[in-house]
Structures are given as structure tokens and as C-alpha cells.
Coordinates of all heavy atoms in Angstrom, one line a residue:
M1 N -20.0 -157.8 -276.7 CA -21.4 -158.1 -276.1 C -21.9 -156.8 -275.6 O -21.2 -156.1 -274.9 CB -21.3 -159.1 -275.1 CG -22.7 -159.5 -274.5 SD -22.5 -160.9 -273.4 CE -23.7 -162.0 -274.2
P2 N -23.2 -156.4 -275.9 CA -23.8 -155.2 -275.3 C -24.0 -155.3 -273.9 O -24.1 -156.4 -273.3 CB -25.1 -155.1 -276.1 CG -25.4 -156.4 -276.5 CD -24.1 -157.2 -276.8
R3 N -24.1 -154.2 -273.3 CA -24.4 -154.1 -271.8 C -25.7 -154.7 -271.5 O -26.6 -154.7 -272.4 CB -24.2 -152.8 -271.3 CG -25.2 -151.8 -271.7 CD -24.8 -150.4 -271.1 NE -26.1 -149.6 -271.0 CZ -26.3 -148.6 -271.8 NH1 -25.5 -148.2 -272.7 NH2 -27.4 -147.9 -271.7
P4 N -25.9 -155.2 -270.3 CA -27.2 -155.9 -270.0 C -28.5 -155.2 -270.3 O -29.5 -155.7 -270.6 CB -27.0 -156.2 -268.5 CG -25.6 -156.3 -268.2 CD -25.1 -155.3 -269.1
A5 N -28.5 -153.8 -270.1 CA -29.7 -153.1 -270.4 C -30.1 -153.1 -271.8 O -31.2 -152.9 -272.2 CB -29.5 -151.6 -269.9
L6 N -29.1 -153.3 -272.7 CA -29.4 -153.3 -274.1 C -29.8 -154.7 -274.8 O -30.0 -154.9 -275.9 CB -28.3 -152.7 -274.9 CG -28.0 -151.3 -274.6 CD1 -26.7 -150.8 -275.4 CD2 -29.1 -150.4 -274.8
R7 N -29.7 -155.8 -273.8 CA -29.9 -157.1 -274.3 C -31.4 -157.5 -274.5 O -31.7 -158.5 -275.0 CB -29.2 -158.1 -273.4 CG -27.7 -158.1 -273.6 CD -27.1 -159.1 -272.7 NE -25.9 -158.8 -272.2 CZ -25.2 -159.2 -271.1 NH1 -25.8 -160.2 -270.4 NH2 -24.1 -158.8 -270.7
S8 N -32.3 -156.7 -273.8 CA -33.7 -157.1 -273.9 C -34.3 -156.7 -275.3 O -33.7 -155.9 -276.0 CB -34.4 -156.3 -272.8 OG -34.5 -154.9 -273.2
R9 N -35.4 -157.2 -275.6 CA -36.0 -157.1 -276.9 C -37.0 -155.8 -276.9 O -37.7 -155.6 -277.9 CB -36.8 -158.3 -277.4 CG -36.0 -159.5 -277.8 CD -35.1 -158.9 -278.9 NE -34.5 -160.0 -279.7 CZ -33.7 -159.8 -280.6 NH1 -33.4 -158.6 -281.0 NH2 -33.1 -160.8 -281.2
K10 N -37.0 -155.0 -275.8 CA -37.7 -153.8 -275.8 C -37.1 -152.7 -276.7 O -37.8 -151.8 -277.0 CB -38.0 -153.3 -274.4 CG -36.8 -152.6 -273.8 CD -37.2 -152.1 -272.4 CE -36.0 -151.4 -271.9 NZ -36.3 -150.7 -270.7
L11 N -35.9 -152.9 -277.1 CA -35.2 -152.0 -277.9 C -35.1 -152.5 -279.4 O -34.7 -153.7 -279.5 CB -33.9 -151.6 -277.4 CG -33.9 -150.9 -276.0 CD1 -32.5 -150.7 -275.5 CD2 -34.6 -149.5 -276.1
R12 N -35.4 -151.7 -280.3 CA -35.2 -152.2 -281.7 C -33.7 -151.9 -282.1 O -33.2 -150.9 -281.9 CB -36.2 -151.4 -282.6 CG -36.0 -151.6 -284.1 CD -37.0 -151.0 -284.9 NE -38.3 -151.8 -284.8 CZ -39.4 -151.3 -284.4 NH1 -39.6 -150.0 -284.2 NH2 -40.5 -152.0 -284.3
R13 N -33.1 -152.9 -282.8 CA -31.8 -152.9 -283.3 C -31.8 -152.4 -284.7 O -32.5 -153.0 -285.6 CB -31.1 -154.2 -283.1 CG -30.9 -154.6 -281.8 CD -30.7 -156.1 -281.6 NE -30.3 -156.5 -280.3 CZ -31.2 -156.8 -279.3 NH1 -32.4 -156.5 -279.5 NH2 -30.8 -157.1 -278.1
T14 N -30.9 -151.4 -285.0 CA -30.8 -151.0 -286.4 C -29.3 -151.0 -286.8 O -28.5 -150.5 -285.9 CB -31.3 -149.6 -286.6 OG1 -30.7 -148.6 -285.7 CG2 -32.9 -149.6 -286.4
Q15 N -29.0 -151.4 -288.0 CA -27.6 -151.4 -288.4 C -27.4 -149.9 -289.0 O -28.1 -149.5 -289.8 CB -27.4 -152.4 -289.5 CG -27.3 -153.8 -288.9 CD -26.0 -154.1 -288.3 OE1 -25.0 -153.4 -288.5 NE2 -25.9 -155.1 -287.5
T16 N -26.3 -149.3 -288.5 CA -26.1 -148.0 -289.0 C -24.6 -147.8 -289.5 O -23.8 -148.4 -288.8 CB -26.3 -146.9 -287.9 OG1 -27.6 -147.1 -287.3 CG2 -26.1 -145.5 -288.3
R17 N -24.4 -147.1 -290.6 CA -23.1 -147.0 -291.1 C -22.6 -145.7 -290.6 O -23.2 -144.6 -290.8 CB -23.1 -147.0 -292.6 CG -21.8 -147.0 -293.3 CD -21.8 -147.3 -294.7 NE -20.5 -147.3 -295.3 CZ -19.9 -146.2 -295.8 NH1 -20.6 -145.0 -295.7 NH2 -18.7 -146.2 -296.4
T18 N -21.5 -145.7 -290.0 CA -20.9 -144.4 -289.4 C -20.0 -143.7 -290.5 O -19.8 -144.3 -291.5 CB -19.9 -144.8 -288.3 OG1 -18.8 -145.6 -288.8 CG2 -20.6 -145.4 -287.1
P19 N -19.7 -142.4 -290.3 CA -18.9 -141.7 -291.3 C -17.6 -142.4 -291.6 O -17.0 -142.1 -292.6 CB -18.7 -140.3 -290.7 CG -19.9 -140.2 -289.8 CD -20.2 -141.5 -289.2
G20 N -17.0 -143.1 -290.6 CA -15.7 -143.7 -290.7 C -15.9 -145.0 -291.5 O -14.9 -145.7 -291.9
G21 N -17.1 -145.4 -291.9 CA -17.3 -146.7 -292.7 C -17.5 -147.9 -292.0 O -17.8 -148.9 -292.5
R22 N -17.5 -147.8 -290.6 CA -17.9 -149.0 -289.8 C -19.4 -149.2 -289.8 O -20.2 -148.3 -289.9 CB -17.4 -148.8 -288.4 CG -15.9 -148.8 -288.3 CD -15.5 -148.9 -286.8 NE -16.2 -147.9 -286.0 CZ -16.6 -148.3 -284.8 NH1 -16.4 -149.5 -284.3 NH2 -17.3 -147.4 -284.0
H23 N -19.8 -150.4 -289.6 CA -21.2 -150.7 -289.3 C -21.4 -151.0 -287.8 O -20.8 -151.9 -287.2 CB -21.6 -152.0 -290.1 CG -21.8 -151.7 -291.6 ND1 -22.9 -151.1 -292.1 CD2 -21.0 -151.9 -292.6 CE1 -22.8 -150.9 -293.4 NE2 -21.6 -151.4 -293.7
V24 N -22.3 -150.2 -287.3 CA -22.5 -150.4 -285.8 C -24.0 -150.7 -285.5 O -24.8 -150.3 -286.4 CB -22.0 -149.1 -284.9 CG1 -20.5 -149.1 -285.0 CG2 -22.7 -147.9 -285.4
V25 N -24.4 -151.1 -284.3 CA -25.7 -151.3 -283.9 C -26.2 -150.2 -283.1 O -25.5 -149.9 -282.1 CB -25.9 -152.7 -283.3 CG1 -27.3 -152.9 -282.8 CG2 -25.4 -153.8 -284.1
H26 N -27.3 -149.6 -283.5 CA -28.0 -148.6 -282.7 C -29.2 -149.1 -282.1 O -29.9 -149.9 -282.8 CB -28.2 -147.3 -283.5 CG -27.1 -146.4 -283.7 ND1 -27.2 -145.2 -284.4 CD2 -25.7 -146.6 -283.5 CE1 -25.9 -144.7 -284.4 NE2 -25.1 -145.5 -283.9
Y27 N -29.5 -148.7 -280.9 CA -30.7 -149.2 -280.2 C -31.8 -148.0 -280.1 O -31.4 -147.0 -279.7 CB -30.3 -149.7 -278.9 CG -29.3 -150.8 -278.8 CD1 -28.0 -150.6 -278.8 CD2 -29.8 -152.2 -278.9 CE1 -27.1 -151.7 -278.9 CE2 -28.9 -153.3 -278.9 CZ -27.5 -152.9 -278.9 OH -26.7 -153.9 -279.0
K28 N -32.9 -148.3 -280.6 CA -34.1 -147.4 -280.6 C -35.2 -147.9 -279.9 O -35.4 -149.0 -279.8 CB -34.4 -146.9 -282.0 CG -33.3 -146.4 -282.8 CD -33.8 -145.9 -284.1 CE -32.6 -145.3 -285.0 NZ -33.0 -144.9 -286.3
K29 N -36.0 -147.0 -279.3 CA -37.2 -147.3 -278.5 C -38.3 -147.8 -279.5 O -38.4 -147.3 -280.6 CB -37.7 -146.1 -277.7 CG -36.9 -145.8 -276.5 CD -37.6 -144.7 -275.7 CE -36.6 -144.5 -274.5 NZ -37.2 -143.4 -273.7
R30 N -39.0 -148.8 -279.1 CA -40.2 -149.2 -279.9 C -41.4 -148.4 -279.5 O -41.6 -148.1 -278.3 CB -40.4 -150.6 -279.6 CG -39.4 -151.6 -280.1 CD -39.8 -153.0 -279.7 NE -38.7 -153.9 -280.1 CZ -38.7 -154.7 -281.2 NH1 -39.6 -154.5 -282.1 NH2 -37.7 -155.4 -281.4
F31 N -42.1 -148.0 -280.5 CA -43.4 -147.2 -280.2 C -44.6 -148.0 -280.4 O -44.7 -148.9 -281.3 CB -43.4 -146.0 -281.0 CG -42.5 -144.9 -280.6 CD1 -41.2 -144.8 -281.3 CD2 -42.7 -144.0 -279.6 CE1 -40.3 -143.9 -280.9 CE2 -41.7 -143.1 -279.2 CZ -40.5 -143.0 -279.9
A32 N -45.6 -147.9 -279.6 CA -46.9 -148.6 -279.8 C -47.5 -148.0 -281.0 O -47.4 -147.0 -281.4 CB -47.7 -148.5 -278.5
S33 N -48.3 -148.9 -281.7 CA -49.0 -148.6 -282.8 C -50.3 -147.8 -282.4 O -50.7 -147.8 -281.2 CB -49.4 -149.7 -283.7 OG -50.1 -150.7 -283.0
K34 N -50.9 -147.1 -283.3 CA -52.1 -146.3 -282.9 C -53.2 -147.4 -282.5 O -53.5 -148.4 -283.2 CB -52.6 -145.5 -284.1 CG -53.7 -144.6 -283.8 CD -53.5 -143.3 -284.6 CE -54.6 -142.4 -284.3 NZ -54.4 -141.5 -283.2
P35 N -53.9 -147.0 -281.4 CA -55.1 -147.9 -281.1 C -56.1 -148.0 -282.1 O -56.4 -147.1 -282.8 CB -55.6 -147.2 -279.9 CG -54.6 -146.4 -279.3 CD -53.7 -145.9 -280.5
R36 N -56.6 -149.3 -282.3 CA -57.6 -149.4 -283.4 C -58.9 -150.0 -282.8 O -58.9 -150.6 -281.8 CB -57.1 -150.5 -284.4 CG -55.8 -149.9 -285.1 CD -55.4 -150.8 -286.2 NE -54.3 -150.0 -287.0 CZ -54.7 -149.4 -288.1 NH1 -55.9 -149.2 -288.5 NH2 -53.7 -148.8 -288.7
C37 N -60.0 -149.9 -283.6 CA -61.3 -150.3 -283.3 C -61.3 -151.8 -283.3 O -60.7 -152.5 -284.1 CB -62.4 -149.8 -284.2 SG -64.0 -150.4 -284.0
A38 N -61.9 -152.4 -282.2 CA -62.0 -153.9 -282.1 C -62.9 -154.6 -283.1 O -62.7 -155.8 -283.4 CB -62.5 -154.2 -280.7
I39 N -63.8 -153.8 -283.7 CA -64.7 -154.4 -284.7 C -64.2 -154.2 -286.1 O -64.0 -155.1 -286.9 CB -66.1 -153.8 -284.5 CG1 -66.7 -154.1 -283.1 CG2 -67.1 -154.3 -285.6 CD1 -67.9 -153.5 -282.8
C40 N -64.1 -152.9 -286.6 CA -63.7 -152.7 -287.9 C -62.2 -152.5 -288.2 O -61.7 -152.5 -289.3 CB -64.5 -151.4 -288.4 SG -64.0 -149.9 -287.6
G41 N -61.4 -152.2 -287.2 CA -60.0 -152.1 -287.3 C -59.5 -150.7 -287.7 O -58.3 -150.5 -288.0
R42 N -60.4 -149.7 -287.8 CA -59.9 -148.3 -288.0 C -59.3 -147.8 -286.9 O -59.5 -148.0 -285.7 CB -61.2 -147.4 -288.3 CG -61.8 -147.6 -289.6 CD -62.8 -146.6 -289.9 NE -63.7 -146.9 -291.0 CZ -65.0 -147.2 -290.8 NH1 -65.5 -147.2 -289.6 NH2 -65.8 -147.5 -291.8
P43 N -58.3 -146.8 -287.1 CA -57.6 -146.1 -286.0 C -58.6 -145.3 -285.2 O -59.5 -144.7 -285.7 CB -56.6 -145.2 -286.7 CG -56.4 -145.8 -288.0 CD -57.7 -146.4 -288.4
L44 N -58.5 -145.4 -283.9 CA -59.5 -144.6 -283.0 C -59.1 -143.2 -282.9 O -58.0 -142.8 -282.8 CB -59.4 -145.2 -281.6 CG -59.9 -146.6 -281.4 CD1 -59.7 -147.1 -280.0 CD2 -61.4 -146.6 -281.8
Q45 N -60.1 -142.3 -283.0 CA -59.9 -140.9 -282.9 C -60.1 -140.5 -281.5 O -60.9 -141.1 -280.7 CB -60.9 -140.1 -283.7 CG -60.8 -140.4 -285.2 CD -61.8 -139.6 -286.0 OE1 -62.8 -139.2 -285.4 NE2 -61.6 -139.5 -287.3
G46 N -59.3 -139.5 -280.9 CA -59.4 -139.1 -279.6 C -58.6 -139.8 -278.6 O -58.6 -139.5 -277.5
V47 N -57.8 -140.8 -279.1 CA -56.9 -141.5 -278.2 C -55.5 -141.3 -278.7 O -55.2 -141.5 -279.9 CB -57.4 -143.1 -278.2 CG1 -56.4 -143.8 -277.2 CG2 -58.8 -143.3 -277.8
D48 N -54.7 -140.9 -277.8 CA -53.3 -140.6 -278.3 C -52.5 -141.9 -278.4 O -52.6 -142.9 -277.8 CB -52.6 -139.8 -277.1 CG -53.3 -138.4 -277.0 OD1 -53.8 -137.9 -277.9 OD2 -53.3 -137.9 -275.8
E49 N -51.5 -141.7 -279.4 CA -50.5 -142.8 -279.5 C -49.6 -142.7 -278.3 O -49.1 -141.6 -278.0 CB -49.8 -142.6 -280.8 CG -50.6 -142.8 -282.0 CD -49.7 -142.6 -283.3 OE1 -48.6 -143.1 -283.3 OE2 -50.3 -141.9 -284.1
T50 N -49.3 -143.8 -277.7 CA -48.4 -143.7 -276.5 C -47.3 -144.8 -276.7 O -47.4 -145.8 -277.5 CB -49.3 -144.0 -275.3 OG1 -49.9 -145.3 -275.4 CG2 -50.3 -142.9 -275.0
R51 N -46.4 -144.7 -275.8 CA -45.3 -145.6 -275.7 C -45.7 -146.8 -274.9 O -45.1 -147.9 -274.9 CB -44.1 -145.0 -275.2 CG -43.0 -144.9 -276.3 CD -41.8 -144.3 -275.7 NE -41.7 -143.0 -276.0 CZ -40.8 -142.1 -275.5 NH1 -40.0 -142.5 -274.6 NH2 -40.8 -140.8 -275.8
V52 N -46.7 -146.7 -274.0 CA -47.0 -147.7 -273.0 C -47.8 -148.8 -273.7 O -48.4 -148.6 -274.8 CB -47.9 -147.1 -271.9 CG1 -47.2 -146.2 -271.1 CG2 -49.2 -146.5 -272.4
K53 N -47.6 -150.0 -273.2 CA -48.2 -151.2 -273.8 C -49.6 -151.3 -273.2 O -50.5 -151.8 -274.0 CB -47.4 -152.4 -273.5 CG -46.1 -152.5 -274.2 CD -45.4 -153.8 -273.9 CE -44.1 -153.8 -274.6 NZ -43.3 -155.0 -274.3
A54 N -49.9 -151.0 -272.0 CA -51.2 -151.1 -271.5 C -52.0 -149.9 -271.9 O -51.7 -148.8 -271.8 CB -51.1 -151.1 -269.9
R55 N -53.1 -150.2 -272.7 CA -53.9 -149.1 -273.3 C -54.9 -148.5 -272.3 O -55.4 -147.5 -272.4 CB -54.7 -149.7 -274.5 CG -53.9 -150.3 -275.5 CD -53.4 -149.3 -276.6 NE -52.4 -149.7 -277.4 CZ -52.6 -150.3 -278.6 NH1 -53.8 -150.7 -278.9 NH2 -51.6 -150.8 -279.3
R56 N -55.1 -149.3 -271.1 CA -56.1 -148.9 -270.2 C -55.4 -147.9 -269.1 O -55.4 -148.2 -268.0 CB -56.7 -150.0 -269.4 CG -57.5 -150.9 -270.3 CD -58.8 -150.2 -270.6 NE -59.6 -150.9 -271.6 CZ -60.7 -150.6 -271.9 NH1 -61.3 -149.4 -271.5 NH2 -61.4 -151.3 -272.8
V57 N -54.9 -146.8 -269.7 CA -54.3 -145.8 -268.7 C -55.3 -144.6 -268.6 O -55.9 -144.3 -269.6 CB -52.9 -145.3 -269.3 CG1 -52.3 -144.3 -268.4 CG2 -52.0 -146.5 -269.5
A58 N -55.5 -144.1 -267.4 CA -56.4 -143.0 -267.2 C -56.0 -141.8 -268.1 O -54.9 -141.4 -268.2 CB -56.4 -142.6 -265.8
G59 N -57.0 -141.2 -268.7 CA -56.8 -140.1 -269.6 C -56.6 -140.5 -271.0 O -56.6 -139.6 -271.9
L60 N -56.5 -141.7 -271.4 CA -56.3 -142.1 -272.7 C -57.6 -142.6 -273.5 O -57.6 -142.8 -274.6 CB -55.3 -143.3 -272.9 CG -53.9 -143.0 -272.4 CD1 -53.0 -144.1 -272.6 CD2 -53.3 -141.8 -273.1
T61 N -58.7 -142.7 -272.6 CA -59.9 -143.2 -273.2 C -60.9 -142.1 -273.5 O -60.7 -140.9 -273.0 CB -60.5 -144.3 -272.3 OG1 -60.8 -143.6 -271.1 CG2 -59.7 -145.4 -272.1
V62 N -61.9 -142.3 -274.3 CA -62.9 -141.4 -274.7 C -64.1 -141.5 -273.8 O -64.4 -142.7 -273.4 CB -63.3 -141.5 -276.2 CG1 -64.3 -140.4 -276.5 CG2 -62.0 -141.4 -277.1
S63 N -64.7 -140.5 -273.3 CA -65.8 -140.7 -272.4 C -67.2 -140.9 -273.0 O -68.2 -140.1 -272.9 CB -65.9 -139.3 -271.5 OG -66.2 -138.2 -272.4
R64 N -67.3 -142.1 -273.7 CA -68.6 -142.6 -274.1 C -68.6 -144.1 -274.0 O -67.5 -144.7 -273.6 CB -68.7 -142.2 -275.6 CG -67.8 -142.8 -276.6 CD -68.2 -142.5 -278.1 NE -67.2 -143.0 -278.9 CZ -66.2 -142.1 -279.4 NH1 -66.3 -140.9 -279.2 NH2 -65.3 -142.6 -280.2
P65 N -69.7 -144.7 -274.0 CA -69.7 -146.2 -273.8 C -68.8 -146.9 -274.8 O -68.7 -146.5 -276.1 CB -71.2 -146.5 -274.1 CG -71.9 -145.4 -273.9 CD -71.1 -144.2 -274.2
Y66 N -68.0 -147.8 -274.4 CA -67.0 -148.4 -275.1 C -65.9 -147.5 -275.7 O -65.3 -147.8 -276.7 CB -67.5 -149.3 -276.2 CG -68.5 -150.3 -275.7 CD1 -69.9 -150.1 -275.9 CD2 -68.1 -151.5 -275.2 CE1 -70.8 -151.0 -275.4 CE2 -69.0 -152.4 -274.7 CZ -70.4 -152.1 -274.9 OH -71.3 -153.1 -274.3
G67 N -65.7 -146.3 -275.0 CA -64.7 -145.4 -275.6 C -63.4 -145.9 -275.4 O -63.0 -146.5 -274.4
G68 N -62.6 -145.7 -276.5 CA -61.2 -146.3 -276.5 C -61.1 -147.8 -276.8 O -60.0 -148.3 -276.9
Y69 N -62.3 -148.3 -277.2 CA -62.4 -149.7 -277.5 C -62.9 -150.0 -278.9 O -62.3 -150.7 -279.7 CB -63.1 -150.6 -276.5 CG -63.0 -152.0 -276.6 CD1 -61.8 -152.7 -276.5 CD2 -64.2 -152.7 -277.1 CE1 -61.8 -154.1 -276.7 CE2 -64.1 -154.1 -277.3 CZ -62.9 -154.7 -277.0 OH -62.9 -156.1 -277.3
I70 N -64.0 -149.3 -279.2 CA -64.6 -149.3 -280.5 C -64.8 -147.9 -281.1 O -64.9 -147.0 -280.2 CB -65.9 -150.1 -280.6 CG1 -67.0 -149.5 -279.8 CG2 -65.7 -151.6 -280.3 CD1 -68.3 -150.2 -280.0
C71 N -64.9 -147.7 -282.3 CA -65.0 -146.4 -282.9 C -66.4 -145.9 -282.8 O -67.4 -146.7 -282.5 CB -64.5 -146.3 -284.3 SG -65.4 -147.3 -285.5
H72 N -66.7 -144.5 -283.1 CA -68.0 -144.0 -282.9 C -68.9 -144.6 -284.0 O -70.1 -144.7 -283.7 CB -67.9 -142.5 -283.0 CG -67.5 -142.0 -284.3 ND1 -66.2 -142.0 -284.7 CD2 -68.2 -141.5 -285.4 CE1 -66.1 -141.5 -286.0 NE2 -67.3 -141.2 -286.4
R73 N -68.5 -145.0 -285.2 CA -69.3 -145.5 -286.2 C -69.9 -146.9 -285.7 O -71.0 -147.2 -285.9 CB -68.5 -145.5 -287.5 CG -68.1 -144.2 -288.1 CD -67.5 -144.5 -289.4 NE -66.9 -143.2 -289.8 CZ -65.6 -143.0 -289.9 NH1 -64.7 -143.9 -289.4 NH2 -65.1 -141.8 -290.2
C74 N -69.0 -147.7 -285.2 CA -69.4 -149.0 -284.8 C -70.4 -149.0 -283.6 O -71.3 -149.7 -283.5 CB -68.2 -149.9 -284.5 SG -67.2 -150.3 -286.0
L75 N -70.1 -148.0 -282.7 CA -70.9 -147.8 -281.5 C -72.3 -147.4 -282.0 O -73.4 -147.9 -281.5 CB -70.4 -146.7 -280.6 CG -71.2 -146.4 -279.4 CD1 -71.4 -147.6 -278.4 CD2 -70.7 -145.2 -278.6
A76 N -72.5 -146.4 -282.9 CA -73.8 -146.0 -283.4 C -74.5 -147.1 -284.1 O -75.7 -147.3 -283.9 CB -73.5 -144.9 -284.4
L77 N -73.8 -147.9 -284.8 CA -74.4 -149.1 -285.5 C -74.9 -150.1 -284.5 O -76.1 -150.6 -284.6 CB -73.4 -149.7 -286.5 CG -73.9 -150.9 -287.3 CD1 -75.0 -150.4 -288.3 CD2 -72.7 -151.6 -288.0
A78 N -74.1 -150.3 -283.4 CA -74.5 -151.3 -282.4 C -75.7 -150.8 -281.6 O -76.7 -151.6 -281.3 CB -73.3 -151.6 -281.5
L79 N -75.7 -149.5 -281.4 CA -76.8 -148.9 -280.6 C -78.2 -149.0 -281.5 O -79.2 -149.3 -281.0 CB -76.6 -147.4 -280.2 CG -75.6 -147.2 -279.1 CD1 -75.3 -145.8 -278.9 CD2 -76.0 -147.9 -277.8
R80 N -78.1 -148.7 -282.8 CA -79.2 -148.8 -283.6 C -79.8 -150.2 -283.7 O -80.9 -150.5 -283.6 CB -78.9 -148.4 -285.1 CG -79.0 -146.9 -285.3 CD -78.8 -146.5 -286.7 NE -77.8 -145.5 -286.8 CZ -76.8 -145.5 -287.5 NH1 -76.4 -146.6 -288.2 NH2 -75.9 -144.5 -287.5
T81 N -78.9 -151.2 -283.8 CA -79.4 -152.6 -283.9 C -80.0 -153.0 -282.6 O -80.9 -153.7 -282.5 CB -78.2 -153.5 -284.3 OG1 -77.2 -153.4 -283.4 CG2 -77.7 -153.3 -285.7
A82 N -79.4 -152.5 -281.5 CA -79.9 -153.0 -280.1 C -81.4 -152.3 -279.9 O -82.3 -153.0 -279.4 CB -79.1 -152.4 -279.0
V83 N -81.6 -151.1 -280.4 CA -82.9 -150.5 -280.3 C -83.9 -151.2 -281.2 O -85.0 -151.5 -280.8 CB -82.8 -149.0 -280.6 CG1 -84.1 -148.4 -280.8 CG2 -82.0 -148.2 -279.5
R84 N -83.4 -151.5 -282.4 CA -84.4 -152.2 -283.3 C -84.7 -153.6 -282.9 O -85.9 -154.0 -282.9 CB -83.7 -152.3 -284.7 CG -83.7 -151.1 -285.4 CD -82.9 -151.3 -286.7 NE -82.8 -149.8 -287.3 CZ -81.9 -149.5 -288.3 NH1 -81.0 -150.4 -288.6 NH2 -81.7 -148.3 -288.7
L85 N -83.8 -154.3 -282.2 CA -84.2 -155.6 -281.7 C -85.0 -155.5 -280.4 O -85.9 -156.4 -280.2 CB -82.8 -156.4 -281.3 CG -82.0 -156.8 -282.5 CD1 -80.7 -157.5 -282.0 CD2 -82.8 -157.8 -283.4
S86 N -84.8 -154.5 -279.6 CA -85.7 -154.4 -278.4 C -87.1 -153.9 -278.7 O -88.0 -154.1 -277.9 CB -85.0 -153.4 -277.4 OG -85.0 -152.1 -277.9
A87 N -87.3 -153.3 -279.9 CA -88.5 -152.7 -280.2 C -89.5 -153.8 -280.7 O -90.7 -153.7 -280.6 CB -88.4 -151.6 -281.3
T88 N -88.9 -154.9 -281.2 CA -89.7 -156.0 -281.7 C -90.1 -157.0 -280.7 O -89.7 -157.1 -279.6 CB -89.0 -156.7 -283.0 OG1 -87.8 -157.2 -282.4 CG2 -88.8 -155.7 -284.1

């Protein structure tokens, strides 16, 4: 049985074959996927891939409205439609 620190699901288990021919379990850290736009699903530019699960960490967001949440293309489209709706 593995030691208690390795029993949690925060570590990924991989079967590895050693040079001696045995199959052993190696534990690797899980990495967070690249943050994606909430509207279109494209990967966000300017936001680093991190190991943390909480995306709302200071320094990881972009300094524009909805930065780090939606991409610049979706923001431009939303601003255009907002202006067009307010003009009528």
C-alpha cells in the first residue's frame, strides 16, 4: 500500500516498466489545462498555464474588461453589439 501522501487523487498514476522488468507505479503531478474563453472556447492569450486550480490569482489576468475570462475577439464583438443596441 502506498504511503498516505500518495493515496490522494491529486497525483496521476502511471505504470512504468523498470530496466529490471518489473512494473511499478510512478506518481506524477497533474497540470491544469490552458485557460479558455468562456464564450468560444479558444485558449486565452496572455494568461499563463499554471498548476493552481483557482484561476483567479493576482497576476494571471489581463488588464482589460473581462480579461482572463473571455478572449479579445469575443470582447470586441460584445462591445460592438452593445454599442449598436444602445444607439437604437
Side-chain angles (χ1 to χ4, degrees):
M1 178 172 241
R3 67 178 204 256
L6 298 178
R7 288 185 214 157
S8 69
R9 283 304 192 182
K10 72 176 185 175
L11 298 172
R12 176 171 282 126
R13 292 162 171 81
T14 58
Q15 287 284 339
T16 306
R17 188 171 178 271
T18 61
R22 294 188 316 138
H23 287 279
V24 295
V25 178
H26 281 187
Y27 297 91
K28 296 183 179 180
K29 288 185 178 180
R30 294 178 186 264
F31 289 95
S33 60
K34 187 143 178 88
R36 295 185 169 271
C37 175
I39 297 173
C40 65
R42 287 193 193 104
L44 291 178
Q45 295 179 345
V47 182
D48 296 330
E49 294 179 41
T50 57
R51 250 185 259 169
V52 293
K53 290 184 181 177
R55 303 269 167 88
R56 293 289 176 175
V57 179
L60 297 181
T61 58
V62 183
S63 61
R64 65 173 172 259
Y66 303 101
Y69 188 68
I70 62 173
C71 66
H72 66 282
R73 294 183 192 107
C74 293
L75 177 64
L77 183 66
L79 290 175
R80 274 191 230 120
T81 55
V83 168
R84 287 175 185 157
L85 288 176
S86 67
T88 58

